[in-house]
Amino acid sequence: MQKAFANLKASLDHVREIAVDIDAHVQAALADATIQARHETTLCAASVILSGFLESFLREVAEEVTGDICNRGLPFDNLPAKIRATHYWEGAAHLREVARQERSEKPLMLSKASDVARRLASVRNAQIPYEIVWEAFADTQANPGPDQIGAFLKRFDIEEPLPTLAGAMNTTQNNLVLRLRSFMEIRNECAHTGSARNVPTTSDVQGFCDLIEQLSAGIVAVLQDMLSKPPFIVAPPVAQPIP
C-alpha cells in the first residue's frame, strides 16, 4: 500500500505545482482575459484529474492488499466471508465484463477472460497458493464519492467503513462526507460541462489535493490495521506452565 500511496502523492504534487504556477501569474491573468480563461480551464481540468488519481490509487491498493493476503498462505476458507463473497460475486461480474470486451476480437482468444477465470477458480479445493481476483475489490462503479469509498472498504470486511475511515483521518464522518461530496460536485460539473459556474480557485484545488492525500492515508491506515489482526495474523501459541 505504501507504493500506491507514494505514487498518489507524486501525482498530487504535480497538481499542486500547477496551482502554484497559476498563482505566480495571477497579475498577467488579471490583465489578459485569454490567460485568465486558460487558467480557469486548467483548474477545472485539474479537479477532474484528481478524481482519476483517487480511482487509480484505489485500484493499486486493492491489488496490493489482495496480493498481501494471498502471500500469507492462509486457507481461503479462513478469510472473512465478505472477502470470499466479493471474490466470487464481483469476480464473476468482472469476468463477464472482460469476456464481453474480448468477444469481438478476431481471432477470438479471450486471453484476459481466461486469466480471470483461472484466478477465480484458484481457490477451489482449499488449495494454496491461490489468487484472489483483485479487480473484484477495485471497481468503484462511479466516481469515488462517500458511498463508493464506503463500499470499497466494506469489500474488505470493514463493518463501519466511513466512521472507521473518519477516525483514522482524525475527523468526523460528517466532515469527511461533506468535503468529499463538495469535491465530487465540482468535479462532475467540470467534467460534464467543461467549466463550472463557480470555477475552482487555486486554493480550492490545493484543498482537494489535501483531502485526497488525507483520505488515502486514512484508507491505508484502516487496511493496515485490518491486516494486523486475526485472521490475517496468527497469534503465537500461549506458553503452557511447566509442571
Side-chain angles (χ1 to χ4, degrees):
M1 282 181 283
Q2 293 304 324
K3 180 180 178 182
F5 187 55
N7 290 340
L8 175 69
K9 288 180 66 177
S11 297
L12 294 177
D13 285 344
H14 292 318
V15 175
R16 289 183 172 118
E17 289 167 4
I18 290 172
V20 169
D21 184 69
I22 290 175
D23 279 339
H25 296 88
V26 66
Q27 293 302 321
L30 292 174
D32 189 329
T34 301
I35 296 176
Q36 183 175 353
R38 185 187 309 149
H39 286 176
E40 290 177 353
T41 301
T42 301
L43 290 169
C44 283
S47 301
V48 177
I49 289 170
L50 286 172
S51 175
F53 289 161
L54 180 54
E55 286 188 73
S56 295
F57 167 78
L58 294 175
R59 288 182 61 83
E60 288 187 54
V61 165
E63 186 171 13
E64 288 188 43
V65 172
T66 54
D68 186 333
I69 293 172
C70 293
N71 290 337
R72 296 186 182 213
L74 302 169
F76 183 77
D77 289 345
N78 287 13
L79 301 181
K82 184 63 177 177
I83 290 179
R84 288 182 281 129
T86 297
H87 169 80
Y88 286 123
W89 183 263
E90 302 294 347
H94 178 65
L95 172 59
R96 179 183 175 88
E97 176 59 21
V98 171
R100 184 192 67 78
Q101 293 174 4
E102 288 191 302
R103 67 183 176 180
S104 60
E105 293 181 353
K106 295 185 183 302
L108 184 61
M109 301 296 292
L110 294 175
S111 58
K112 293 180 181 177
S114 177
D115 175 67
V116 177
R118 177 188 59 78
R119 288 184 284 143
L120 192 61
S122 69
V123 301
R124 70 187 187 282
N125 301 326
Q127 67 183 44
I128 296 176
Y130 50 80
E131 293 181 67
I132 293 174
V133 180
W134 66 267
E135 296 93 339
F137 296 79
D139 189 1
T140 61
Q141 301 294 326
N143 298 312
D147 292 342
Q148 289 72 33
I149 295 293
F152 175 83
L153 290 173
K154 209 156 194 177
R155 293 187 196 107
F156 289 103
D157 200 42
I158 307 299
E159 292 185 3
E160 297 184 326
L162 291 182
T164 303
L165 176 57
M169 295 171 62
N170 197 29
T171 188
T172 65
Q173 179 180 350
N174 284 342
N175 184 50
L176 169 60
V177 169
L178 286 172
R179 291 178 68 194
L180 194 49
R181 281 182 177 162
S182 177
F183 165 57
M184 281 299 155
E185 286 172 2
I186 292 178
R187 179 264 172 219
N188 290 338
E189 189 175 354
C190 290
H192 298 155
T193 66
S195 62
R197 286 169 297 178
N198 297 310
V199 176
T201 65
T202 53
S203 295
D204 290 333
V205 170
Q206 294 277 19
F208 297 155
C209 290
D210 293 342
L211 169 63
I212 291 172
E213 183 169 342
Q214 293 160 9
L215 176 72
S216 301
I219 289 172
V220 169
V222 168
L223 293 175
Q224 284 181 332
D225 181 66
M226 175 199 76
L227 292 171
S228 70
K229 298 174 180 176
F232 303 105
I233 186 167
V234 180
V238 178
Q240 297 298 320
I242 300 174

